[in-house]
Every structure is written in structure tokens, then in C-alpha cells.
Amino acid sequence: AQSVTQLGSHVSVSEGALVLLRCNYSSSVPPYLFWYVQYPNQGLQLLLKYTSAATLVKGINGFEAEFKKSETSFHLTKPSAHMSDAAEYFCAVSFGNTDKLIFGTGTRLQVFP
Amino acid sequence: GAVVSQHPSRVICKSGTSVKIECRSLDFQATTMFWYRQFPKQSLMLMATSNEGSKATYEQGVEKDKFLINHASLTLSTLTVTSAHPEDSSFYICSARASMYEQYFGPGTRLTVT
């Protein structure tokens, strides 16, 4: 069965520090992978997606993620955190010819001044 | 980018009543929309897939008679929570499919059943 695991429900970084949010997936078929951000009481905004093209995917707001098949990972990174990056981040996987998304449990990012 | 709206953003209703939530794609047509439920500090759980002009497909464990979905047009899907109870209180989020692997999410509806 397909699933997504996000390691670390909370991540805290200082402003300007590297952001690393971890995501591992399990899929018996080639996956399509997504990172979404959610601000309080709001819907989800797509940060970036991997759909079998380049393994290093660049997204909005300076975020990027690398698909590593050997590690079944799709970790999200940003070189320098901003206060405005504080939010909940969800990794999601889709597979086959459906658009059904399976979400990870989310990681809350806190950014300290 | 594409915009999806939801109405209402918040609703409080009494136990036993029904509540309708609308999801609209404002600047694109969506033959497929999805309904999710999110409990506090938890992830999103897919409830059902809504297809324009046909019956919705519900995920395992979701009561189709309790959560009625209607996708009557290419820009509107509705979720009706029938005979709501306090345990139905949650944050309901819809998304609309713009193209393959491209979904846009609404801002969510917070339902509180008293």
C-alpha cells in the first residue's frame, strides 16, 4: 500500500538557518510527490511537485526537494529560513492514474528570530 | 494561479440539523473535485472524489448517506453533512482538479456542531 511518513512533527530553526523537512514514501508503483504548506485556518498551497521529470524540483518561496528513489525520500529544503515560513507542511503522494492524494501527518515549522 | 473558494468559511449548527458546504472553482472548470476532512493538528483525510455529472466515490469508512456530495456543474461541488452531530465538527477542505496531478485547494470550512 502507498503511504507517506513525515519524520518530526515539529521542527524549529532560527531565522536564516537551513530548513530540512523529511518525507519518506512507500509505493509499489512510480509515485508522484508533493509538498504543500498550510497557514492557520487556511487551505493548502502547493509548494512543489515531482512528476517523474527532474529529480531536483524547485518550488515557490525558495523551497526545493530532491526525489531519491534509492532512499524512497522526498525531503524539503530551504537554504535560509524566514519568519514567514512558519506554517504546517504536508508531504503527499499520488500514484497510478488517479489524482487521489495521501498525506503525511504534517510537520509544523517554527522559525525563531 | 487558479482559485478555489468555499462557502461558508465557518458554520455553527445544532445537533440534528444539516449543513451544506459549497466548493467553487472560480477561474477554471473542474470535472473532478475532492473533499477532505482535517481534525485539529492532524493531517487531511480524503473523504470522497466528486465527479461532475456522476455519483461521488467515497473512501472506505465514510458514510455516503451522511456526507452527501453533489457535483452538478463544472465549477461547483457541494458537501451536505446530514443530521450533524458533535463528532462531525471538523475542518472540511475541498480541492479542484485543474489537470493531471494539479489540484487547487479551497480555504476550508470550519464546522462546529453544538
Side-chain angles (χ1 to χ4, degrees):
Chain A
Q2 284 72 17
S3 65
V4 172
T5 302
Q6 289 184 243
L7 297 175
S9 59
H10 289 82
V11 171
S12 297
V13 299
S14 299
E15 192 173 20
L18 171 71
V19 175
L20 171 60
L21 304 182
R22 299 178 185 275
C23 174
N24 288 88
Y25 68 90
S26 172
S27 177
S28 56
V29 298
Y32 299 94
L33 295 156
F34 307 80
W35 275 100
Y36 289 89
V37 61
Q38 184 181 34
Y39 296 98
N41 296 312
Q42 295 187 27
L44 275 67
Q45 181 181 11
L46 179 68
L47 284 174
L48 48 80
K49 62 182 176 183
Y50 166 77
T51 56
S52 75
T55 56
L56 181 61
V57 181
K58 293 185 182 299
I60 62 172
N61 301 339
F63 285 95
E64 64 181 38
E66 186 172 8
F67 172 69
K68 292 186 176 181
K69 185 177 180 180
S70 61
E71 299 177 9
T72 62
S73 68
F74 191 59
H75 302 331
L76 181 71
T77 61
K78 181 174 181 177
S80 177
H82 292 168
M83 296 296 291
S84 60
D85 294 327
E88 187 86 19
Y89 291 80
F90 291 97
C91 182
V93 64
S94 183
F95 49 91
N97 59 358
T98 76
D99 285 315
K100 291 169 59 171
L101 290 172
I102 298 172
F103 284 89
T105 51
T107 298
R108 180 166 299 277
L109 176 65
Q110 288 184 304
V111 182
F112 292 100
Chain B
V3 180
V4 175
S5 70
Q6 279 185 243
H7 178 80
S9 58
R10 291 176 180 271
V11 58
I12 300 173
C13 70
K14 292 187 176 181
S15 186
T17 62
S18 295
V19 174
K20 180 184 286 187
I21 302 170
E22 294 185 346
C23 177
R24 293 182 185 272
S25 55
L26 298 185
D27 48 5
F28 66 100
Q29 293 183 331
T31 56
T32 302
M33 293 184 177
F34 301 90
W35 287 96
Y36 297 84
R37 183 172 181 177
Q38 185 180 31
F39 290 102
K41 301 185 186 300
Q42 295 188 28
S43 189
L44 283 76
M45 298 298 294
L46 178 65
M47 299 174 65
T49 302
S50 169
N51 296 298
E52 187 268 337
S54 64
K55 290 184 179 181
T57 303
Y58 291 82
E59 295 300 302
Q60 190 173 7
V62 177
E63 298 177 62
K64 61 179 67 175
D65 294 331
K66 181 167 189 61
F67 298 100
L68 300 179
I69 292 172
N70 187 337
H71 195 155
S73 78
L74 289 172
T75 59
L76 174 64
S77 176
T78 60
L79 168 68
T80 301
V81 183
T82 63
S83 185
H85 291 285
E87 58 266 29
D88 299 324
S89 298
S90 190
F91 195 51
Y92 293 88
I93 302 176
C94 73
S95 70
R97 179 183 183 272
S99 62
M100 199 65 177
Y101 304 115
E102 189 171 12
Q103 294 181 36
Y104 293 92
F105 285 78
T109 296
R110 184 160 301 284
L111 170 64
T112 302
V113 184
T114 61

